[in-house]
C-alpha cells in the first residue's frame, strides 16, 4: 500500500509518498480501505512545527472508508460496512487499522464517502463548542462567528437541529 509520511518539519515539500506493508488487524480491530481523508489545521501546524511523537510520522485524523477485514472479536462492524471516524494514529494511507471501540461510526451505504472523509473532526469540534461546552438548549439564541467556514457551518446545523435561533457572521 501507499502512505504519506514526514521525516522533518516544513512545507508541503516534506510530505513523502512511501510503500508500506498493509496493516493487519488485531482481534478487536477493523481494517479500513480509506476512501477520503480530511486535511485540517492541526495537520498543517504539525507538519510545519511538530512535535511528532516519532519520525517518520503519518499525519491525518479524520477519514472515511470501507471495512475490508475484521478481527475475530469484532462485534460492531462487518466487512463491507461504510464508516467514518477519527484517529490520532494518522490517516494519510490507503489502509488503516482501528480498534472497534475507537472513534468510528458506520454510515449509510448510499452516502458519498468523499465528503465524509473530512467531516468528523469539524463536526466534533462544532458539537463540542455548541452542545458539550455551550450547553445549548432549544429556544435559546446563539451567535456563531465564521458561519461560512467548516466548523461554523456545522455549528449552524447542530444549533438549528437543537431548536435554537441562529445568528451568524460571514464575509461579504
Amino acid at each position: 500500500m501507499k502512505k504519506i509520511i514526514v521525516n522533518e518539519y516544513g512545507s508541503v515539500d516534506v510530505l513523502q509518498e512511501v510503500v508500506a506493508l498493509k496493516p493487519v488487524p488485531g482481534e478487536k480491530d477493523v481494517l479500513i480501505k480509506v476512501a477520503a481523508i480530511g486535511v485540517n489545521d492541526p495537520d498543517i501546524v504539525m507538519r510545519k512545527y511538530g512535535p511528532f511523537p516519532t519520525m517518520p510520522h503519518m499525519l491525518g485524523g479524520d477519514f472515511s472508508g470501507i471495512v475490508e477485514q475484521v478481527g475475530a472479536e469484532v462485534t460492531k462492524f462487518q466487512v463491507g460496512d461504510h464508516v467514518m471516524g477519527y484517529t490520532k494514529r494518522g490517516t494519510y494511507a490507503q489502509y488503516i487499522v482501528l480498534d472497534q471501540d475507537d472513534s468510528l461510526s458506520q454510515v449509510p451505504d448510499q452516502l458519498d464517502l468523499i465528503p465524509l472523509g473530512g467531516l468528523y473532526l469539524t463536526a466534533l469540534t462544532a458539537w463540542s463548542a455548541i452542545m458539550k461546552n455551550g450547553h445549548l438548549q432549544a429556544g435559546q439564541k446563539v451567535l456563531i462567528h465564521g458561519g461560512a467556514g467548516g466548523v461554523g457551518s456545522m455549528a449552524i446545523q447542530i444549533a438549528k437541529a437543537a431548536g435554537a435561533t441562529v445568528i451568524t457572521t460571514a464575509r461579504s
Side-chain angles (χ1 to χ4, degrees):
M1 73 161 191
K2 294 179 184 177
K3 67 180 185 177
I4 297 173
I5 61 166
V6 293
N7 281 306
E8 60 185 310
Y9 308 125
S11 70
V12 294
D13 297 330
V14 301
L15 297 171
Q16 300 175 350
E17 182 181 290
V18 298
V19 175
L21 294 174
K22 188 177 182 181
V24 177
E27 296 296 308
K28 295 181 180 181
D29 296 336
V30 294
L31 174 69
I32 300 159
K33 182 175 178 36
V34 176
I37 62 168
V39 178
N40 296 294
D41 288 339
D43 301 315
I44 296 166
V45 170
M46 292 263 312
R47 176 185 39 82
K48 287 182 177 180
Y49 310 110
F52 299 127
T54 59
M55 290 282 204
H57 183 76
M58 182 170 61
L59 294 165
D62 46 4
F63 66 90
S64 64
I66 300 173
V67 174
E68 187 168 285
Q69 186 179 350
V70 297
E73 296 179 28
V74 171
T75 58
K76 296 180 179 180
F77 299 96
Q78 301 176 46
V79 171
D81 284 349
H82 289 211
V83 294
M84 63 181 283
Y86 180 81
T87 181
K88 292 182 179 181
R89 295 186 217 160
T91 58
Y92 288 19
Q94 289 178 305
Y95 293 89
I96 58 173
V97 168
L98 267 75
D99 182 288
Q100 70 172 343
D101 293 323
D102 283 347
S103 297
L104 183 63
S105 301
Q106 186 174 353
V107 297
D109 292 354
Q110 66 270 25
L111 292 181
D112 184 354
L113 288 173
I114 302 304
L116 293 178
L119 184 65
Y120 202 92
L121 186 58
T122 303
L124 183 60
T125 301
W127 180 85
S128 292
I130 295 293
M131 303 305 293
K132 183 180 178 189
N133 297 323
H135 307 288
L136 186 68
Q137 301 290 317
Q140 290 182 316
K141 294 179 184 174
V142 62
L143 171 62
I144 298 171
H145 289 289
V151 174
S153 63
M154 289 304 304
I156 291 168
Q157 294 176 63
I158 292 167
K160 291 293 285 181
T165 299
V166 176
I167 303 160
T168 186
T169 63
R171 289 185 170 179
S172 59

